[in-house]
Amino acid sequence: MLATSIFESNRLICRHWIAEDLEPLFSVYSDADAMRWVGDGQAITWEACENWLKVTQANYIKYGYGMFTLVERESGHVIGFAGLVHPEGQPEPEVKYALKRSVWGQGLASEAVPALLAYGASFHGLGRIIATVAADNIASQRVLAKSGMTYSGESLEEDGSVTLIFAWTANSSHTQALMPLQS
């Protein structure tokens, strides 16, 4: 199966998920330390990865977007995943990302997130995109702020933790900044 490219940045190629992404998907989302900031904080199972691939394919059909694979341009290796999603059917699109720990601290999330926001605005007419982040996850808060997202509130979770909500609103300069690949 040929993957459709979404956009390219200086160091990344962002493309649709394909079946061959299951192994790298599992390697990123089964890392218990890395997953402390994702969802319920638990590592994912292989079966859940297989199901997530199906859900993502359905999101491509329903919304025209979903989670995508991030490939390092220079090496051609999958280094993580990012996308625009509607968790549990929420109405507002939400930007999500997770990278292999081996590439943390290299600014790759700060490269991917603004491109995803511009892609959502330019090609799907998304005027507002949110992100949720744990109150203690300072690194992701910095990524979101660098990407032009601003703090817009918080929610108290059932377990007593606080989730911060960041929001981004499109303007004409954002929508003109991205030139995705066309397939």
Side-chain angles (χ1 to χ4, degrees):
M1 173 193 234
L2 183 63
T4 305
S5 292
I6 303 303
F7 63 81
E8 290 189 16
S9 64
N10 289 337
R11 297 177 291 165
L12 298 171
I13 298 168
C14 181
R15 62 166 174 75
H16 283 100
W17 281 11
I18 57 174
E20 291 80 5
D21 290 332
L22 279 174
E23 184 64 42
L25 180 69
F26 183 71
S27 74
V28 170
Y29 286 93
S30 67
D31 179 337
D33 186 44
M35 290 303 99
R36 73 183 184 275
W37 302 119
V38 178
D40 64 3
Q42 300 299 308
I44 198 169
T45 65
W46 182 263
E47 293 75 23
C49 285
E50 290 176 320
N51 185 59
W52 199 6
L53 181 63
K54 292 174 188 169
V55 168
T56 295
Q57 296 297 332
N59 284 336
Y60 294 161
I61 293 166
K62 182 176 182 177
Y63 298 109
Y65 55 84
M67 288 299 290
F68 304 116
T69 300
L70 296 174
V71 177
E72 186 180 46
R73 281 163 75 72
E74 188 174 305
S75 70
H77 294 122
V78 173
I79 55 93
F81 302 89
L84 300 167
V85 297
H86 296 264
E88 299 176 14
Q90 79 183 20
E92 287 186 297
E94 183 171 342
V95 67
K96 297 278 188 182
Y97 63 91
L99 304 175
K100 288 184 176 183
R101 267 196 292 160
S102 62
V103 300
W104 286 5
Q106 297 177 23
L108 294 167
S110 294
E111 194 169 311
V113 172
L116 275 171
L117 297 171
Y119 165 78
S122 295
F123 292 89
H124 299 286
L126 302 177
R128 185 172 192 269
I129 299 171
I130 66 166
T132 56
V133 60
D136 293 336
N137 189 347
I138 303 304
S140 282
Q141 292 174 46
R142 286 184 187 132
V143 167
L144 299 175
K146 281 185 197 176
S147 300
M149 300 189 88
T150 57
Y151 171 83
S152 70
E154 58 187 52
S155 65
L156 182 62
E157 304 302 324
E158 291 179 14
D159 66 0
S161 65
V162 174
T163 297
L164 304 180
I165 302 165
F166 282 70
W168 176 87
T169 303
N171 65 39
S172 61
S173 67
H174 291 119
T175 58
Q176 294 172 3
L178 181 68
M179 293 296 193
L181 299 173
Q182 297 297 314
S183 302

